[in-house]
Amino acid sequence: MKNCQAIEIRNLRYTYPDGTQALKDVNLRVENGESVAIIGPNGAGKSTLLLHLNGILKGEGEVKIFGLSVSNSNIKEVRRRVGLVFQDPDDQLFCPSVFDDVAFGPINMGLPHDEVILRTEMALGAVGLPGFEKKSAYHLSLGQKKRAAIATVLSMQPDILAIDEPSSNLDPRSRRELIKVLRSLPVTKILITHDLPFVVEICKRTIIMDEGKVVADGKVEEIFSDGALLEIHGLEIPYGYSAPSLLPTL
């Protein structure tokens, strides 16, 4: 699977019931193992695009996950392969304990009890929360909740991790812990974020969306070195950012 295409989107269009056209002929490809940030102003269509990756929203056009069309006939397998983490972790943490939250997916996959326990322990270990099984999510810090929400997805062993605003409202320590977690995960990652320094830490490729369209797509250092491009789309070069040299090494 190393060289397979993880995501392929062709001519994707989506209009909300109120008539707002959120996506306008979006075309996008993501290779397996890539870490890609999607940035842009509010209302650009970023989160709407994310919700199409596992069929929560369905527009016109084509969305494929590892060659599988996101359709009713494939939706169960697509949702196993695409782990979606919402901006607000409380949308994913609703059980009496952290263990129950993280085990929820594997249980609904019909996995044996021992496998559910193993996956839950591995997922919590991967996000730095071993020993939190009996805790209530209500008593966790926001940073811990964000990592627990990621664990609820990792327990299903997805091939793609799609996260909406992973670093929003985190204090510096929690943000740093989350960066370490995301760097360590050997899966394809799609991050929707306004935190451009966060992008620099994790991603090699950045896509800018504006008014429902992909308006730029390239290496992080190329996109973040183009102040005029960023400004046009309501963004700015991250404070203190210095792009590595784009010249070839002699």
Side-chain angles (χ1 to χ4, degrees):
M1 193 186 292
K2 281 188 178 181
N3 296 317
C4 19
Q5 204 148 275
I7 299 168
E8 183 176 6
I9 297 172
R10 293 184 180 179
N11 303 319
L12 181 62
R13 302 175 299 282
Y14 184 79
T15 302
Y16 281 102
D18 67 358
T20 301
Q21 192 174 1
L23 298 176
K24 305 172 184 177
D25 291 312
V26 172
N27 291 278
L28 177 63
R29 292 182 178 183
V30 177
E31 298 299 319
N32 186 41
E34 277 195 286
S35 292
V36 180
I38 302 179
I39 63 176
N42 289 333
K46 306 183 299 296
S47 295
T48 301
L49 177 64
L50 207 68
L51 295 175
H52 279 78
L53 297 184
N54 69 353
I56 292 178
L57 293 180
K58 295 180 181 179
E60 300 175 57
E62 186 175 52
V63 180
K64 288 185 177 181
I65 303 298
F66 290 100
L68 286 175
S69 294
V70 180
S71 61
N72 290 335
S73 60
N74 297 322
I75 201 65
K76 186 174 181 180
E77 176 63 10
V78 166
R79 288 180 176 170
R80 184 195 71 76
R81 302 191 80 167
V82 180
L84 183 58
V85 182
F86 299 111
Q87 180 175 351
D88 186 349
D90 289 333
D91 290 338
Q92 287 178 266
L93 304 173
F94 48 80
C95 294
S97 71
V98 170
F99 176 88
D100 293 330
D101 277 316
V102 180
F104 183 84
I107 288 172
N108 280 275
M109 291 170 66
L111 298 176
H113 179 70
D114 289 349
E115 179 68 13
V116 170
I117 292 176
L118 177 62
R119 286 192 179 207
T120 301
E121 290 177 347
M122 290 178 65
L124 287 172
V127 299
L129 294 177
F132 278 65
E133 289 85 352
K134 295 182 180 180
K135 291 184 179 292
S136 166
Y138 179 79
H139 295 113
L140 301 182
S141 69
L142 179 58
Q144 290 169 338
K145 283 184 178 182
K146 292 255 188 183
R147 287 185 282 147
I150 293 173
T152 68
V153 168
L154 293 182
S155 64
M156 299 180 70
Q157 298 185 352
D159 298 304
I160 299 169
L161 190 62
I163 313 180
D164 198 352
E165 295 292 354
S167 63
S168 63
N169 299 316
L170 293 184
D171 61 47
R173 178 182 294 176
S174 297
R175 182 177 176 280
R176 175 54 52 186
E177 289 171 344
L178 184 58
I179 287 171
K180 289 179 181 177
V181 166
L182 293 177
R183 278 179 166 178
S184 71
L185 298 175
V187 296
T188 304
K189 292 181 278 286
I190 308 295
L191 309 181
I192 304 291
T193 185
H194 288 97
D195 184 348
L196 301 193
F198 193 84
V199 172
V200 175
E201 296 272 10
I202 295 171
C203 301
K204 293 185 177 181
R205 176 181 170 196
T206 302
I207 293 166
I208 299 178
M209 289 190 67
D210 201 354
E211 297 183 349
K213 299 178 181 179
V214 171
V215 295
D217 183 349
K219 294 179 180 179
V220 168
E221 59 266 28
E222 295 171 347
I223 297 293
F224 286 2
S225 296
D226 191 337
L229 172 68
L230 294 173
E231 184 177 358
I232 288 170
H233 300 290
L235 305 164
E236 57 186 20
I237 297 173
Y239 178 75
Y241 177 72
S242 178
S245 173
L246 300 180
L247 298 175
T249 302
L250 299 178

